[in-house]
Amino acid sequence: WPPSSVREASLEQRALNVLGTLINSNKELFAPILPFLRMLREDIADYGTLPDYTLRRVEKWTDKKDEEALTEMIKLKLELGEGYLEKEKARIANTQSEVIIAIENQ
């Protein structure tokens, strides 16, 4: 069994693959939810705020029929909120970065 960091990275990558497939599918059914799917993709790729449980939910969307998958997407959108990533970006922007320098005496 691979280390947890490898599992997490592969889980993120699988979720990104699912989102990429859905975004590029050009299915009319998914058109209303495309901005949310793009936001999820941006979050996973750049911010990593989603828990593993949510990434697993995204990963399972391809196992479902289109209508079932759309229902799951809408549920997740309602749970996270319309602009959840914008709130997260604002929170991150307001945090100060610190640089810690350590010197070892030998």
Side-chain angles (χ1 to χ4, degrees), residues 19 22-23 30-44 50 54 57-58 61 69-85:
L19 289 169
L22 291 169
I23 290 167
F30 299 133
I33 198 102
L34 280 178
F36 178 69
L37 297 179
R38 289 185 183 111
M39 186 178 2
L40 286 175
R41 183 175 61 182
E42 179 184 2
D43 185 358
I44 295 168
L50 298 174
T54 302
R57 285 176 65 184
V58 170
W61 289 345
L70 181 62
T71 301
E72 291 297 318
M73 292 173 205
I74 292 169
K75 282 182 189 177
L76 182 58
K77 182 178 179 181
L78 291 172
E79 289 172 21
L80 294 175
E82 184 74 31
Y84 85 94
L85 187 56

PDB file of all heavy atoms in Angstrom, residues 19 22-23 30-44 50 54 57-58 61 69-85:
ATOM      1  N   LEU A  19     -13.202  15.761 -13.379  1.00  0.00           N
ATOM      2  CA  LEU A  19     -13.673  17.112 -13.665  1.00  0.00           C
ATOM      3  C   LEU A  19     -13.310  17.539 -15.085  1.00  0.00           C
ATOM      4  O   LEU A  19     -14.124  18.135 -15.792  1.00  0.00           O
ATOM      5  CB  LEU A  19     -13.108  18.094 -12.643  1.00  0.00           C
ATOM      6  CG  LEU A  19     -13.693  17.965 -11.240  1.00  0.00           C
ATOM      7  CD1 LEU A  19     -12.885  18.774 -10.240  1.00  0.00           C
ATOM      8  CD2 LEU A  19     -15.146  18.377 -11.221  1.00  0.00           C
ATOM      9  N   LEU A  22     -15.679  15.850 -17.491  1.00  0.00           N
ATOM     10  CA  LEU A  22     -17.017  16.442 -17.452  1.00  0.00           C
ATOM     11  C   LEU A  22     -17.040  17.822 -18.104  1.00  0.00           C
ATOM     12  O   LEU A  22     -17.964  18.149 -18.853  1.00  0.00           O
ATOM     13  CB  LEU A  22     -17.510  16.539 -16.008  1.00  0.00           C
ATOM     14  CG  LEU A  22     -17.820  15.213 -15.326  1.00  0.00           C
ATOM     15  CD1 LEU A  22     -18.035  15.424 -13.832  1.00  0.00           C
ATOM     16  CD2 LEU A  22     -19.032  14.555 -15.962  1.00  0.00           C
ATOM     17  N   ILE A  23     -16.026  18.620 -17.832  1.00  0.00           N
ATOM     18  CA  ILE A  23     -15.966  19.971 -18.396  1.00  0.00           C
ATOM     19  C   ILE A  23     -15.832  19.921 -19.916  1.00  0.00           C
ATOM     20  O   ILE A  23     -16.436  20.718 -20.629  1.00  0.00           O
ATOM     21  CB  ILE A  23     -14.812  20.766 -17.749  1.00  0.00           C
ATOM     22  CG1 ILE A  23     -15.167  21.079 -16.284  1.00  0.00           C
ATOM     23  CG2 ILE A  23     -14.508  22.046 -18.528  1.00  0.00           C
ATOM     24  CD1 ILE A  23     -14.008  21.582 -15.452  1.00  0.00           C
ATOM     25  N   PHE A  30     -24.841  19.255 -18.489  1.00  0.00           N
ATOM     26  CA  PHE A  30     -23.898  19.784 -17.503  1.00  0.00           C
ATOM     27  C   PHE A  30     -23.623  21.275 -17.682  1.00  0.00           C
ATOM     28  O   PHE A  30     -22.918  21.870 -16.864  1.00  0.00           O
ATOM     29  CB  PHE A  30     -22.577  19.013 -17.548  1.00  0.00           C
ATOM     30  CG  PHE A  30     -22.719  17.555 -17.228  1.00  0.00           C
ATOM     31  CD1 PHE A  30     -22.112  16.598 -18.019  1.00  0.00           C
ATOM     32  CD2 PHE A  30     -23.455  17.131 -16.130  1.00  0.00           C
ATOM     33  CE1 PHE A  30     -22.238  15.244 -17.727  1.00  0.00           C
ATOM     34  CE2 PHE A  30     -23.589  15.785 -15.837  1.00  0.00           C
ATOM     35  CZ  PHE A  30     -22.973  14.835 -16.630  1.00  0.00           C
ATOM     36  N   ALA A  31     -24.140  21.888 -18.712  1.00  0.00           N
ATOM     37  CA  ALA A  31     -23.853  23.303 -18.996  1.00  0.00           C
ATOM     38  C   ALA A  31     -24.141  24.225 -17.807  1.00  0.00           C
ATOM     39  O   ALA A  31     -23.315  25.084 -17.487  1.00  0.00           O
ATOM     40  CB  ALA A  31     -24.599  23.757 -20.240  1.00  0.00           C
ATOM     41  N   PRO A  32     -25.289  24.085 -17.111  1.00  0.00           N
ATOM     42  CA  PRO A  32     -25.559  25.010 -16.001  1.00  0.00           C
ATOM     43  C   PRO A  32     -24.587  24.878 -14.827  1.00  0.00           C
ATOM     44  O   PRO A  32     -24.409  25.812 -14.062  1.00  0.00           O
ATOM     45  CB  PRO A  32     -26.974  24.639 -15.545  1.00  0.00           C
ATOM     46  CG  PRO A  32     -27.563  23.846 -16.653  1.00  0.00           C
ATOM     47  CD  PRO A  32     -26.424  23.203 -17.376  1.00  0.00           C
ATOM     48  N   ILE A  33     -23.950  23.733 -14.695  1.00  0.00           N
ATOM     49  CA  ILE A  33     -23.084  23.494 -13.539  1.00  0.00           C
ATOM     50  C   ILE A  33     -21.599  23.657 -13.889  1.00  0.00           C
ATOM     51  O   ILE A  33     -20.739  23.528 -13.034  1.00  0.00           O
ATOM     52  CB  ILE A  33     -23.392  22.096 -12.936  1.00  0.00           C
ATOM     53  CG1 ILE A  33     -22.876  21.952 -11.502  1.00  0.00           C
ATOM     54  CG2 ILE A  33     -22.803  20.988 -13.754  1.00  0.00           C
ATOM     55  CD1 ILE A  33     -23.919  22.080 -10.495  1.00  0.00           C
ATOM     56  N   LEU A  34     -21.285  23.979 -15.144  1.00  0.00           N
ATOM     57  CA  LEU A  34     -19.886  24.108 -15.571  1.00  0.00           C
ATOM     58  C   LEU A  34     -19.075  25.100 -14.741  1.00  0.00           C
ATOM     59  O   LEU A  34     -17.933  24.791 -14.385  1.00  0.00           O
ATOM     60  CB  LEU A  34     -19.797  24.459 -17.054  1.00  0.00           C
ATOM     61  CG  LEU A  34     -19.972  23.297 -18.021  1.00  0.00           C
ATOM     62  CD1 LEU A  34     -19.916  23.790 -19.459  1.00  0.00           C
ATOM     63  CD2 LEU A  34     -18.940  22.219 -17.794  1.00  0.00           C
ATOM     64  N   PRO A  35     -19.596  26.286 -14.407  1.00  0.00           N
ATOM     65  CA  PRO A  35     -18.781  27.191 -13.581  1.00  0.00           C
ATOM     66  C   PRO A  35     -18.393  26.568 -12.236  1.00  0.00           C
ATOM     67  O   PRO A  35     -17.267  26.752 -11.768  1.00  0.00           O
ATOM     68  CB  PRO A  35     -19.694  28.411 -13.379  1.00  0.00           C
ATOM     69  CG  PRO A  35     -20.617  28.383 -14.539  1.00  0.00           C
ATOM     70  CD  PRO A  35     -20.834  26.919 -14.838  1.00  0.00           C
ATOM     71  N   PHE A  36     -19.299  25.818 -11.637  1.00  0.00           N
ATOM     72  CA  PHE A  36     -18.991  25.149 -10.378  1.00  0.00           C
ATOM     73  C   PHE A  36     -17.918  24.073 -10.577  1.00  0.00           C
ATOM     74  O   PHE A  36     -16.993  23.955  -9.777  1.00  0.00           O
ATOM     75  CB  PHE A  36     -20.259  24.537  -9.781  1.00  0.00           C
ATOM     76  CG  PHE A  36     -20.010  23.779  -8.506  1.00  0.00           C
ATOM     77  CD1 PHE A  36     -19.655  24.440  -7.348  1.00  0.00           C
ATOM     78  CD2 PHE A  36     -20.129  22.400  -8.471  1.00  0.00           C
ATOM     79  CE1 PHE A  36     -19.422  23.745  -6.166  1.00  0.00           C
ATOM     80  CE2 PHE A  36     -19.896  21.691  -7.307  1.00  0.00           C
ATOM     81  CZ  PHE A  36     -19.541  22.369  -6.144  1.00  0.00           C
ATOM     82  N   LEU A  37     -18.022  23.309 -11.660  1.00  0.00           N
ATOM     83  CA  LEU A  37     -17.023  22.272 -11.943  1.00  0.00           C
ATOM     84  C   LEU A  37     -15.650  22.900 -12.163  1.00  0.00           C
ATOM     85  O   LEU A  37     -14.636  22.369 -11.701  1.00  0.00           O
ATOM     86  CB  LEU A  37     -17.428  21.456 -13.166  1.00  0.00           C
ATOM     87  CG  LEU A  37     -18.737  20.661 -13.039  1.00  0.00           C
ATOM     88  CD1 LEU A  37     -19.028  19.914 -14.341  1.00  0.00           C
ATOM     89  CD2 LEU A  37     -18.700  19.710 -11.861  1.00  0.00           C
ATOM     90  N   ARG A  38     -15.618  24.041 -12.847  1.00  0.00           N
ATOM     91  CA  ARG A  38     -14.335  24.739 -13.059  1.00  0.00           C
ATOM     92  C   ARG A  38     -13.755  25.242 -11.734  1.00  0.00           C
ATOM     93  O   ARG A  38     -12.548  25.206 -11.519  1.00  0.00           O
ATOM     94  CB  ARG A  38     -14.526  25.891 -14.037  1.00  0.00           C
ATOM     95  CG  ARG A  38     -14.757  25.426 -15.449  1.00  0.00           C
ATOM     96  CD  ARG A  38     -14.823  26.591 -16.434  1.00  0.00           C
ATOM     97  NE  ARG A  38     -15.112  26.106 -17.767  1.00  0.00           N
ATOM     98  CZ  ARG A  38     -16.258  26.311 -18.411  1.00  0.00           C
ATOM     99  NH1 ARG A  38     -17.224  27.027 -17.858  1.00  0.00           N
ATOM    100  NH2 ARG A  38     -16.444  25.821 -19.615  1.00  0.00           N
ATOM    101  N   MET A  39     -14.645  25.695 -10.843  1.00  0.00           N
ATOM    102  CA  MET A  39     -14.193  26.154  -9.539  1.00  0.00           C
ATOM    103  C   MET A  39     -13.613  24.986  -8.734  1.00  0.00           C
ATOM    104  O   MET A  39     -12.573  25.130  -8.084  1.00  0.00           O
ATOM    105  CB  MET A  39     -15.356  26.795  -8.769  1.00  0.00           C
ATOM    106  CG  MET A  39     -14.934  27.414  -7.467  1.00  0.00           C
ATOM    107  SD  MET A  39     -16.200  28.256  -6.473  1.00  0.00           S
ATOM    108  CE  MET A  39     -17.715  28.068  -7.335  1.00  0.00           C
ATOM    109  N   LEU A  40     -14.267  23.840  -8.794  1.00  0.00           N
ATOM    110  CA  LEU A  40     -13.733  22.653  -8.112  1.00  0.00           C
ATOM    111  C   LEU A  40     -12.352  22.297  -8.649  1.00  0.00           C
ATOM    112  O   LEU A  40     -11.429  22.004  -7.886  1.00  0.00           O
ATOM    113  CB  LEU A  40     -14.672  21.460  -8.294  1.00  0.00           C
ATOM    114  CG  LEU A  40     -15.973  21.447  -7.518  1.00  0.00           C
ATOM    115  CD1 LEU A  40     -16.812  20.242  -7.923  1.00  0.00           C
ATOM    116  CD2 LEU A  40     -15.717  21.438  -6.020  1.00  0.00           C
ATOM    117  N   ARG A  41     -12.229  22.339  -9.978  1.00  0.00           N
ATOM    118  CA  ARG A  41     -10.939  22.009 -10.599  1.00  0.00           C
ATOM    119  C   ARG A  41      -9.859  22.981 -10.141  1.00  0.00           C
ATOM    120  O   ARG A  41      -8.743  22.576  -9.804  1.00  0.00           O
ATOM    121  CB  ARG A  41     -11.073  22.012 -12.119  1.00  0.00           C
ATOM    122  CG  ARG A  41      -9.785  21.617 -12.832  1.00  0.00           C
ATOM    123  CD  ARG A  41      -9.965  21.513 -14.311  1.00  0.00           C
ATOM    124  NE  ARG A  41     -10.376  22.807 -14.871  1.00  0.00           N
ATOM    125  CZ  ARG A  41     -10.645  23.006 -16.148  1.00  0.00           C
ATOM    126  NH1 ARG A  41     -10.569  22.013 -17.007  1.00  0.00           N
ATOM    127  NH2 ARG A  41     -10.993  24.202 -16.581  1.00  0.00           N
ATOM    128  N   GLU A  42     -10.182  24.273 -10.105  1.00  0.00           N
ATOM    129  CA  GLU A  42      -9.216  25.280  -9.648  1.00  0.00           C
ATOM    130  C   GLU A  42      -8.827  25.034  -8.198  1.00  0.00           C
ATOM    131  O   GLU A  42      -7.657  25.118  -7.826  1.00  0.00           O
ATOM    132  CB  GLU A  42      -9.811  26.680  -9.797  1.00  0.00           C
ATOM    133  CG  GLU A  42      -8.882  27.770  -9.324  1.00  0.00           C
ATOM    134  CD  GLU A  42      -9.498  29.157  -9.367  1.00  0.00           C
ATOM    135  OE1 GLU A  42     -10.689  29.302  -9.727  1.00  0.00           O
ATOM    136  OE2 GLU A  42      -8.780  30.113  -9.027  1.00  0.00           O
ATOM    137  N   ASP A  43      -9.808  24.715  -7.369  1.00  0.00           N
ATOM    138  CA  ASP A  43      -9.537  24.450  -5.961  1.00  0.00           C
ATOM    139  C   ASP A  43      -8.581  23.274  -5.806  1.00  0.00           C
ATOM    140  O   ASP A  43      -7.574  23.368  -5.103  1.00  0.00           O
ATOM    141  CB  ASP A  43     -10.842  24.176  -5.220  1.00  0.00           C
ATOM    142  CG  ASP A  43     -10.643  24.008  -3.723  1.00  0.00           C
ATOM    143  OD1 ASP A  43      -9.495  24.060  -3.245  1.00  0.00           O
ATOM    144  OD2 ASP A  43     -11.643  23.817  -3.021  1.00  0.00           O
ATOM    145  N   ILE A  44      -8.878  22.180  -6.474  1.00  0.00           N
ATOM    146  CA  ILE A  44      -8.040  20.986  -6.344  1.00  0.00           C
ATOM    147  C   ILE A  44      -6.634  21.263  -6.862  1.00  0.00           C
ATOM    148  O   ILE A  44      -5.641  20.896  -6.234  1.00  0.00           O
ATOM    149  CB  ILE A  44      -8.674  19.794  -7.084  1.00  0.00           C
ATOM    150  CG1 ILE A  44      -9.994  19.410  -6.408  1.00  0.00           C
ATOM    151  CG2 ILE A  44      -7.718  18.600  -7.106  1.00  0.00           C
ATOM    152  CD1 ILE A  44     -10.837  18.441  -7.210  1.00  0.00           C
ATOM    153  N   LEU A  50     -10.348  21.032  -0.400  1.00  0.00           N
ATOM    154  CA  LEU A  50     -11.377  19.993  -0.303  1.00  0.00           C
ATOM    155  C   LEU A  50     -10.857  18.761   0.443  1.00  0.00           C
ATOM    156  O   LEU A  50      -9.749  18.288   0.179  1.00  0.00           O
ATOM    157  CB  LEU A  50     -11.856  19.585  -1.696  1.00  0.00           C
ATOM    158  CG  LEU A  50     -12.519  20.685  -2.513  1.00  0.00           C
ATOM    159  CD1 LEU A  50     -12.806  20.193  -3.927  1.00  0.00           C
ATOM    160  CD2 LEU A  50     -13.794  21.153  -1.842  1.00  0.00           C
ATOM    161  N   THR A  54     -14.708  14.554  -0.054  1.00  0.00           N
ATOM    162  CA  THR A  54     -15.285  15.272  -1.188  1.00  0.00           C
ATOM    163  C   THR A  54     -14.611  14.853  -2.487  1.00  0.00           C
ATOM    164  O   THR A  54     -15.276  14.680  -3.516  1.00  0.00           O
ATOM    165  CB  THR A  54     -15.160  16.790  -0.976  1.00  0.00           C
ATOM    166  OG1 THR A  54     -15.815  17.130   0.252  1.00  0.00           O
ATOM    167  CG2 THR A  54     -15.789  17.562  -2.114  1.00  0.00           C
ATOM    168  N   ARG A  57     -16.082  11.692  -3.581  1.00  0.00           N
ATOM    169  CA  ARG A  57     -17.419  11.911  -4.163  1.00  0.00           C
ATOM    170  C   ARG A  57     -17.298  12.358  -5.615  1.00  0.00           C
ATOM    171  O   ARG A  57     -18.023  11.861  -6.479  1.00  0.00           O
ATOM    172  CB  ARG A  57     -18.174  12.985  -3.361  1.00  0.00           C
ATOM    173  CG  ARG A  57     -18.688  12.492  -2.040  1.00  0.00           C
ATOM    174  CD  ARG A  57     -19.332  13.586  -1.229  1.00  0.00           C
ATOM    175  NE  ARG A  57     -20.547  14.115  -1.846  1.00  0.00           N
ATOM    176  CZ  ARG A  57     -21.228  15.133  -1.344  1.00  0.00           C
ATOM    177  NH1 ARG A  57     -20.815  15.735  -0.239  1.00  0.00           N
ATOM    178  NH2 ARG A  57     -22.322  15.561  -1.950  1.00  0.00           N
ATOM    179  N   VAL A  58     -16.385  13.285  -5.872  1.00  0.00           N
ATOM    180  CA  VAL A  58     -16.171  13.765  -7.245  1.00  0.00           C
ATOM    181  C   VAL A  58     -15.706  12.609  -8.127  1.00  0.00           C
ATOM    182  O   VAL A  58     -16.196  12.431  -9.243  1.00  0.00           O
ATOM    183  CB  VAL A  58     -15.135  14.915  -7.269  1.00  0.00           C
ATOM    184  CG1 VAL A  58     -14.718  15.257  -8.688  1.00  0.00           C
ATOM    185  CG2 VAL A  58     -15.693  16.149  -6.555  1.00  0.00           C
ATOM    186  N   TRP A  61     -18.395  10.320  -9.662  1.00  0.00           N
ATOM    187  CA  TRP A  61     -19.384  10.845 -10.605  1.00  0.00           C
ATOM    188  C   TRP A  61     -19.374  10.106 -11.933  1.00  0.00           C
ATOM    189  O   TRP A  61     -20.401   9.969 -12.578  1.00  0.00           O
ATOM    190  CB  TRP A  61     -19.180  12.339 -10.836  1.00  0.00           C
ATOM    191  CG  TRP A  61     -19.558  13.186  -9.657  1.00  0.00           C
ATOM    192  CD1 TRP A  61     -20.300  12.807  -8.570  1.00  0.00           C
ATOM    193  CD2 TRP A  61     -19.226  14.542  -9.438  1.00  0.00           C
ATOM    194  NE1 TRP A  61     -20.438  13.851  -7.689  1.00  0.00           N
ATOM    195  CE2 TRP A  61     -19.789  14.941  -8.200  1.00  0.00           C
ATOM    196  CE3 TRP A  61     -18.497  15.483 -10.160  1.00  0.00           C
ATOM    197  CZ2 TRP A  61     -19.653  16.221  -7.685  1.00  0.00           C
ATOM    198  CZ3 TRP A  61     -18.364  16.762  -9.643  1.00  0.00           C
ATOM    199  CH2 TRP A  61     -18.937  17.114  -8.428  1.00  0.00           C
ATOM    200  N   ALA A  69     -25.344  11.804 -11.735  1.00  0.00           N
ATOM    201  CA  ALA A  69     -24.130  12.586 -11.502  1.00  0.00           C
ATOM    202  C   ALA A  69     -24.477  14.060 -11.332  1.00  0.00           C
ATOM    203  O   ALA A  69     -23.946  14.729 -10.436  1.00  0.00           O
ATOM    204  CB  ALA A  69     -23.140  12.395 -12.652  1.00  0.00           C
ATOM    205  N   LEU A  70     -25.363  14.568 -12.167  1.00  0.00           N
ATOM    206  CA  LEU A  70     -25.773  15.962 -12.067  1.00  0.00           C
ATOM    207  C   LEU A  70     -26.426  16.239 -10.714  1.00  0.00           C
ATOM    208  O   LEU A  70     -26.147  17.262 -10.080  1.00  0.00           O
ATOM    209  CB  LEU A  70     -26.730  16.330 -13.197  1.00  0.00           C
ATOM    210  CG  LEU A  70     -27.215  17.778 -13.202  1.00  0.00           C
ATOM    211  CD1 LEU A  70     -26.042  18.740 -13.375  1.00  0.00           C
ATOM    212  CD2 LEU A  70     -28.249  17.990 -14.290  1.00  0.00           C
ATOM    213  N   THR A  71     -27.245  15.318 -10.242  1.00  0.00           N
ATOM    214  CA  THR A  71     -27.872  15.468  -8.929  1.00  0.00           C
ATOM    215  C   THR A  71     -26.810  15.550  -7.842  1.00  0.00           C
ATOM    216  O   THR A  71     -26.898  16.388  -6.935  1.00  0.00           O
ATOM    217  CB  THR A  71     -28.832  14.290  -8.648  1.00  0.00           C
ATOM    218  OG1 THR A  71     -29.826  14.266  -9.676  1.00  0.00           O
ATOM    219  CG2 THR A  71     -29.490  14.415  -7.297  1.00  0.00           C
ATOM    220  N   GLU A  72     -25.787  14.700  -7.924  1.00  0.00           N
ATOM    221  CA  GLU A  72     -24.701  14.718  -6.944  1.00  0.00           C
ATOM    222  C   GLU A  72     -23.915  16.028  -7.017  1.00  0.00           C
ATOM    223  O   GLU A  72     -23.506  16.571  -5.992  1.00  0.00           O
ATOM    224  CB  GLU A  72     -23.762  13.522  -7.163  1.00  0.00           C
ATOM    225  CG  GLU A  72     -24.374  12.192  -6.821  1.00  0.00           C
ATOM    226  CD  GLU A  72     -24.735  12.074  -5.354  1.00  0.00           C
ATOM    227  OE1 GLU A  72     -23.932  12.503  -4.492  1.00  0.00           O
ATOM    228  OE2 GLU A  72     -25.829  11.580  -5.055  1.00  0.00           O
ATOM    229  N   MET A  73     -23.702  16.536  -8.219  1.00  0.00           N
ATOM    230  CA  MET A  73     -22.989  17.805  -8.390  1.00  0.00           C
ATOM    231  C   MET A  73     -23.766  18.944  -7.735  1.00  0.00           C
ATOM    232  O   MET A  73     -23.182  19.791  -7.046  1.00  0.00           O
ATOM    233  CB  MET A  73     -22.798  18.110  -9.875  1.00  0.00           C
ATOM    234  CG  MET A  73     -21.861  17.190 -10.591  1.00  0.00           C
ATOM    235  SD  MET A  73     -21.903  17.530 -12.373  1.00  0.00           S
ATOM    236  CE  MET A  73     -21.380  15.954 -13.017  1.00  0.00           C
ATOM    237  N   ILE A  74     -25.064  18.955  -7.948  1.00  0.00           N
ATOM    238  CA  ILE A  74     -25.911  20.007  -7.376  1.00  0.00           C
ATOM    239  C   ILE A  74     -25.922  19.908  -5.847  1.00  0.00           C
ATOM    240  O   ILE A  74     -25.837  20.923  -5.150  1.00  0.00           O
ATOM    241  CB  ILE A  74     -27.331  19.941  -7.967  1.00  0.00           C
ATOM    242  CG1 ILE A  74     -27.277  20.326  -9.444  1.00  0.00           C
ATOM    243  CG2 ILE A  74     -28.290  20.838  -7.194  1.00  0.00           C
ATOM    244  CD1 ILE A  74     -28.557  20.063 -10.210  1.00  0.00           C
ATOM    245  N   LYS A  75     -25.963  18.691  -5.316  1.00  0.00           N
ATOM    246  CA  LYS A  75     -25.902  18.500  -3.863  1.00  0.00           C
ATOM    247  C   LYS A  75     -24.610  19.072  -3.295  1.00  0.00           C
ATOM    248  O   LYS A  75     -24.616  19.776  -2.289  1.00  0.00           O
ATOM    249  CB  LYS A  75     -25.993  17.014  -3.504  1.00  0.00           C
ATOM    250  CG  LYS A  75     -27.365  16.428  -3.555  1.00  0.00           C
ATOM    251  CD  LYS A  75     -27.306  14.968  -3.122  1.00  0.00           C
ATOM    252  CE  LYS A  75     -28.601  14.250  -3.348  1.00  0.00           C
ATOM    253  NZ  LYS A  75     -28.509  12.824  -3.000  1.00  0.00           N
ATOM    254  N   LEU A  76     -23.496  18.764  -3.956  1.00  0.00           N
ATOM    255  CA  LEU A  76     -22.207  19.255  -3.485  1.00  0.00           C
ATOM    256  C   LEU A  76     -22.148  20.780  -3.576  1.00  0.00           C
ATOM    257  O   LEU A  76     -21.649  21.442  -2.661  1.00  0.00           O
ATOM    258  CB  LEU A  76     -21.065  18.630  -4.290  1.00  0.00           C
ATOM    259  CG  LEU A  76     -19.650  19.026  -3.856  1.00  0.00           C
ATOM    260  CD1 LEU A  76     -19.409  18.657  -2.395  1.00  0.00           C
ATOM    261  CD2 LEU A  76     -18.620  18.380  -4.756  1.00  0.00           C
ATOM    262  N   LYS A  77     -22.685  21.334  -4.647  1.00  0.00           N
ATOM    263  CA  LYS A  77     -22.705  22.786  -4.802  1.00  0.00           C
ATOM    264  C   LYS A  77     -23.497  23.438  -3.672  1.00  0.00           C
ATOM    265  O   LYS A  77     -23.080  24.455  -3.113  1.00  0.00           O
ATOM    266  CB  LYS A  77     -23.305  23.157  -6.156  1.00  0.00           C
ATOM    267  CG  LYS A  77     -23.328  24.637  -6.428  1.00  0.00           C
ATOM    268  CD  LYS A  77     -23.889  24.927  -7.802  1.00  0.00           C
ATOM    269  CE  LYS A  77     -23.943  26.418  -8.059  1.00  0.00           C
ATOM    270  NZ  LYS A  77     -24.499  26.713  -9.383  1.00  0.00           N
ATOM    271  N   LEU A  78     -24.625  22.852  -3.306  1.00  0.00           N
ATOM    272  CA  LEU A  78     -25.435  23.383  -2.212  1.00  0.00           C
ATOM    273  C   LEU A  78     -24.708  23.259  -0.872  1.00  0.00           C
ATOM    274  O   LEU A  78     -24.797  24.148  -0.022  1.00  0.00           O
ATOM    275  CB  LEU A  78     -26.785  22.678  -2.157  1.00  0.00           C
ATOM    276  CG  LEU A  78     -27.737  22.974  -3.316  1.00  0.00           C
ATOM    277  CD1 LEU A  78     -28.966  22.069  -3.246  1.00  0.00           C
ATOM    278  CD2 LEU A  78     -28.137  24.435  -3.329  1.00  0.00           C
ATOM    279  N   GLU A  79     -23.990  22.156  -0.675  1.00  0.00           N
ATOM    280  CA  GLU A  79     -23.263  21.940   0.577  1.00  0.00           C
ATOM    281  C   GLU A  79     -22.102  22.925   0.727  1.00  0.00           C
ATOM    282  O   GLU A  79     -21.885  23.476   1.801  1.00  0.00           O
ATOM    283  CB  GLU A  79     -22.726  20.509   0.648  1.00  0.00           C
ATOM    284  CG  GLU A  79     -23.796  19.471   0.852  1.00  0.00           C
ATOM    285  CD  GLU A  79     -23.255  18.049   0.718  1.00  0.00           C
ATOM    286  OE1 GLU A  79     -22.030  17.853   0.863  1.00  0.00           O
ATOM    287  OE2 GLU A  79     -24.063  17.143   0.458  1.00  0.00           O
ATOM    288  N   LEU A  80     -21.343  23.118  -0.360  1.00  0.00           N
ATOM    289  CA  LEU A  80     -20.166  23.987  -0.294  1.00  0.00           C
ATOM    290  C   LEU A  80     -20.538  25.462  -0.358  1.00  0.00           C
ATOM    291  O   LEU A  80     -19.849  26.305   0.207  1.00  0.00           O
ATOM    292  CB  LEU A  80     -19.192  23.663  -1.430  1.00  0.00           C
ATOM    293  CG  LEU A  80     -18.534  22.294  -1.384  1.00  0.00           C
ATOM    294  CD1 LEU A  80     -17.691  22.066  -2.620  1.00  0.00           C
ATOM    295  CD2 LEU A  80     -17.685  22.140  -0.131  1.00  0.00           C
ATOM    296  N   GLY A  81     -21.596  25.766  -1.073  1.00  0.00           N
ATOM    297  CA  GLY A  81     -21.997  27.156  -1.266  1.00  0.00           C
ATOM    298  C   GLY A  81     -21.589  27.636  -2.649  1.00  0.00           C
ATOM    299  O   GLY A  81     -20.623  27.144  -3.241  1.00  0.00           O
ATOM    300  N   GLU A  82     -22.323  28.607  -3.145  1.00  0.00           N
ATOM    301  CA  GLU A  82     -22.135  29.110  -4.511  1.00  0.00           C
ATOM    302  C   GLU A  82     -20.701  29.571  -4.783  1.00  0.00           C
ATOM    303  O   GLU A  82     -20.097  29.187  -5.752  1.00  0.00           O
ATOM    304  CB  GLU A  82     -23.114  30.265  -4.756  1.00  0.00           C
ATOM    305  CG  GLU A  82     -23.090  30.817  -6.161  1.00  0.00           C
ATOM    306  CD  GLU A  82     -23.763  29.899  -7.168  1.00  0.00           C
ATOM    307  OE1 GLU A  82     -24.704  29.195  -6.801  1.00  0.00           O
ATOM    308  OE2 GLU A  82     -23.314  29.910  -8.331  1.00  0.00           O
ATOM    309  N   GLY A  83     -20.164  30.415  -3.927  1.00  0.00           N
ATOM    310  CA  GLY A  83     -18.825  30.952  -4.167  1.00  0.00           C
ATOM    311  C   GLY A  83     -17.859  30.575  -3.070  1.00  0.00           C
ATOM    312  O   GLY A  83     -17.079  31.403  -2.601  1.00  0.00           O
ATOM    313  N   TYR A  84     -17.870  29.320  -2.679  1.00  0.00           N
ATOM    314  CA  TYR A  84     -17.042  28.893  -1.550  1.00  0.00           C
ATOM    315  C   TYR A  84     -15.558  29.171  -1.774  1.00  0.00           C
ATOM    316  O   TYR A  84     -14.840  29.533  -0.846  1.00  0.00           O
ATOM    317  CB  TYR A  84     -17.271  27.404  -1.231  1.00  0.00           C
ATOM    318  CG  TYR A  84     -16.428  26.474  -2.051  1.00  0.00           C
ATOM    319  CD1 TYR A  84     -15.203  26.022  -1.574  1.00  0.00           C
ATOM    320  CD2 TYR A  84     -16.820  26.065  -3.326  1.00  0.00           C
ATOM    321  CE1 TYR A  84     -14.407  25.179  -2.328  1.00  0.00           C
ATOM    322  CE2 TYR A  84     -16.037  25.228  -4.078  1.00  0.00           C
ATOM    323  CZ  TYR A  84     -14.829  24.799  -3.579  1.00  0.00           C
ATOM    324  OH  TYR A  84     -14.037  23.978  -4.336  1.00  0.00           O
ATOM    325  N   LEU A  85     -15.099  29.038  -3.002  1.00  0.00           N
ATOM    326  CA  LEU A  85     -13.670  29.221  -3.256  1.00  0.00           C
ATOM    327  C   LEU A  85     -13.276  30.688  -3.136  1.00  0.00           C
ATOM    328  O   LEU A  85     -12.173  30.995  -2.667  1.00  0.00           O
ATOM    329  CB  LEU A  85     -13.293  28.670  -4.636  1.00  0.00           C
ATOM    330  CG  LEU A  85     -11.800  28.646  -4.946  1.00  0.00           C
ATOM    331  CD1 LEU A  85     -11.013  27.864  -3.904  1.00  0.00           C
ATOM    332  CD2 LEU A  85     -11.550  28.063  -6.326  1.00  0.00           C
TER     333      LEU A  85
END
